[in-house]
Amino acid sequence: MDKKSILVADYDPSSLKFLTTCFVSAEYRVLQALNGNQTLELAKQLPNLIVLNTMLPDINGFEVCKRLKSNRETSKIPIVFIPEPHGDDVIAKCFEMGGDDYLCKPFREAAILSRVRIRMNLKNREGRVDHYRQIVEKAADIIYCADRKGRLNYVNPFAERLLGFSREEIIGKSYLEFIRPDFAVKVKQFHLHQIKEKVEKIYTEFPVMTKSRKHLWLAQQAQLLIQDGEIVGFQAIARDISQTRRMEKDLRNIANELEITNRQLIQANDHASEMAAKAEFANMAQNELLADLSREINTSVDTMGRIISQLSDTVLSDTQRQYVETIRSSGEQLRNLIRDMVGEVPK
C-alpha cells in the first residue's frame, strides 16, 4: 500500500526539519515547501494532509488556504495551521479561512502525530460519507427520510424528478400528502403497525400522485431509525413499478378474456353435442319410419304378386294380361326402389 503523504509548508528551516523527521518516523511521505508558491505547486500532487504556517513569504498561509479551498481538486485536503504569531484572533482566522485544525509551537511529537492521525481518519470517513452520498444522490430509485410523525426531512434528486415537486415543496410535508387519497389511510395504518411492533423493515406497495396529478405505483421498503432504543423516524427506498402494474393488469384482462372465450367454447361444444344427438335421434326415427314403410310396401307388393299369380291361371284377354304384367312390373320396380333407399329390411 502507498504511504500517505503530508505537505509541510514552513518558512523556518528548523521547524520544517523537525516536522519532517516527525512524520517520516511515523512512515508518512513528506513534501516540503518554504513559501506560498511552492506550497501551491506541491499541493497539485494531492497530499493527504497539509501543515501550513500562516507566515509564509510571498503568499501568506491564509491566502494559500483560501486558494486551495477554492480549487475543486484540492478543496478536500485537510489543512492544519501553524498560527504565528500565536493568539486567539489568529487561531480564529485559521478556522475562518477554512482550516481544519492547528498546531502550536513549541511542537510536541506525540501531540502532532495524534492530531494528524485524527485528521487523516476524519478525512477517510468523510470520503466514505461522500461516496455513499453520491450513490444516494445518483440512485434511480426514490430514497427519503422522515421523522417519527412522518414529516419528510430528506429526499434524493430522483424523487424530485419522478414526482415533479421541488425539494422545497417536499421537505417538511407529511409523506401521506403524496399518497393517493384512497390509499393514504391504509398506508398510515401500515406504518403505525410497524412502529407499534417495532418491525425493523417492512414492504408495501401503494400509488402516489405526481404534481401533474399522474398516478404512479411504488414498491417500498421502509426501515425504522432507532436511537437509544427510541424510534426517531424511518428511511425508505421506493421503486416505480407502474409499468409492472400495468402489465399485470393487462395479463389479468387477457386471462379474463380467455376464460370468457373458454366458457363460450364449452357452451358451443355442448350445444353442438346436443344438436348432434338430436340429429342422430331424428336420423334413427327417420330410418325406422322408412323401414316400416318398406315393410308395408313389400307386404303390399307380395300381396299383389299372389293376386297376379292367381290371375295368371285364369282366362284373360290380351288387354287384361297386359294390365296384369304392368302391375307386376310396377310392383317389382317399387320393391327395388325401396331396397335402394333403405336396404334389406327384416320382415
Side-chain angles (χ1 to χ4, degrees), residues 177-212:
E177 293 187 32
F178 301 94
I179 296 175
R180 206 171 70 188
D182 57 322
F183 265 77
V185 174
K186 179 180 178 181
V187 175
K188 180 180 180 179
Q189 292 174 344
F190 206 72
H191 283 293
L192 288 176
H193 168 76
Q194 181 184 16
I195 293 172
K196 181 180 178 181
E197 301 298 328
K198 290 190 175 181
V199 181
E200 183 181 359
K201 294 181 180 179
I202 200 164
Y203 176 88
T204 184
E205 297 180 4
F206 53 85
V208 296
M209 300 284 291
T210 68
K211 190 172 184 178
S212 60

Side-chain angles (χ1 to χ4, degrees), residues 61-76:
F62 295 125
E63 180 62 25
V64 170
C65 179
K66 182 179 177 181
R67 295 187 188 184
L68 291 174
K69 293 298 182 180
S70 64
N71 184 295
R72 179 180 296 179
E73 292 184 353
T74 58
S75 62
K76 298 295 183 179

Side-chain angles (χ1 to χ4, degrees), residues 36-263:
N37 280 313
Q38 288 181 356
T39 304
L40 293 172
E41 187 62 29
L42 290 173
K44 295 177 181 178
Q45 297 184 32
L46 302 180
N48 298 98
L49 183 138
I50 298 175
V51 177
L52 182 62
N53 194 299
T54 59
M55 293 184 63
L56 292 179
D58 66 8
I59 304 175
N60 66 51
F62 295 125
E63 180 62 25
V64 170
C65 179
K66 182 179 177 181
R67 295 187 188 184
L68 291 174
K69 293 298 182 180
S70 64
N71 184 295
R72 179 180 296 179
E73 292 184 353
T74 58
S75 62
K76 298 295 183 179
I77 301 174
I79 294 178
V80 178
F81 272 109
I82 301 173
E84 288 190 332
H86 179 67
D88 291 342
D89 55 340
V90 178
I91 293 174
K93 189 172 182 181
C94 289
F95 288 106
E96 290 174 5
M97 299 304 294
D100 297 278
D101 205 343
Y102 67 96
L103 300 172
C104 290
K105 294 180 180 180
F107 298 132
R108 290 184 299 166
E109 183 174 347
I112 292 172
L113 292 178
S114 176
R115 288 200 168 187
V116 166
R117 290 192 185 100
I118 289 172
R119 285 299 148 192
M120 290 284 195
N121 290 334
L122 288 174
K123 174 68 164 53
N124 291 337
R125 291 175 187 172
E126 290 172 359
R128 288 194 293 270
V129 170
D130 286 341
H131 173 69
Y132 293 131
R133 182 181 294 112
Q134 289 179 17
I135 292 175
V136 171
E137 295 291 315
K138 295 179 180 179
D141 293 321
I142 290 178
I143 300 176
Y144 70 89
C145 297
D147 62 19
R148 183 184 174 89
K149 294 184 178 180
R151 291 187 295 262
L152 296 164
N153 48 41
Y154 172 79
V155 291
N156 67 337
F158 183 79
E160 299 177 54
R161 294 195 298 271
L162 185 66
L163 299 178
F165 293 99
S166 67
R167 180 180 177 83
E168 291 71 22
E169 292 174 309
I170 297 175
I171 298 301
K173 300 286 184 63
S174 170
Y175 72 99
L176 294 171
E177 293 187 32
F178 301 94
I179 296 175
R180 206 171 70 188
D182 57 322
F183 265 77
V185 174
K186 179 180 178 181
V187 175
K188 180 180 180 179
Q189 292 174 344
F190 206 72
H191 283 293
L192 288 176
H193 168 76
Q194 181 184 16
I195 293 172
K196 181 180 178 181
E197 301 298 328
K198 290 190 175 181
V199 181
E200 183 181 359
K201 294 181 180 179
I202 200 164
Y203 176 88
T204 184
E205 297 180 4
F206 53 85
V208 296
M209 300 284 291
T210 68
K211 190 172 184 178
S212 60
R213 311 305 293 172
K214 180 181 178 182
H215 296 189
L216 296 177
W217 274 90
L218 300 183
Q220 173 180 287
Q221 179 159 299
Q223 180 178 10
L224 293 178
L225 297 175
I226 302 175
Q227 291 182 0
D228 300 325
E230 293 293 326
I231 297 173
V232 296
F234 66 90
Q235 60 187 8
I237 298 177
R239 176 163 296 179
D240 181 5
I241 58 168
S242 302
Q243 184 174 1
T244 302
R245 280 275 180 161
R246 285 193 293 270
M247 291 175 64
E248 290 176 352
K249 183 179 179 181
D250 291 342
L251 288 174
R252 285 197 300 271
N253 290 338
I254 292 172
N256 290 337
E257 290 176 2
L258 288 174
E259 186 177 354
I260 293 172
T261 302
N262 187 52
R263 286 201 299 267

Side-chain angles (χ1 to χ4, degrees), residues 285-299 345:
Q286 182 181 13
N287 288 339
E288 289 180 4
L289 177 63
L290 289 175
D292 291 342
L293 180 61
S294 176
R295 279 192 289 269
E296 291 179 4
I297 292 175
N298 281 329
T299 299
V345 178

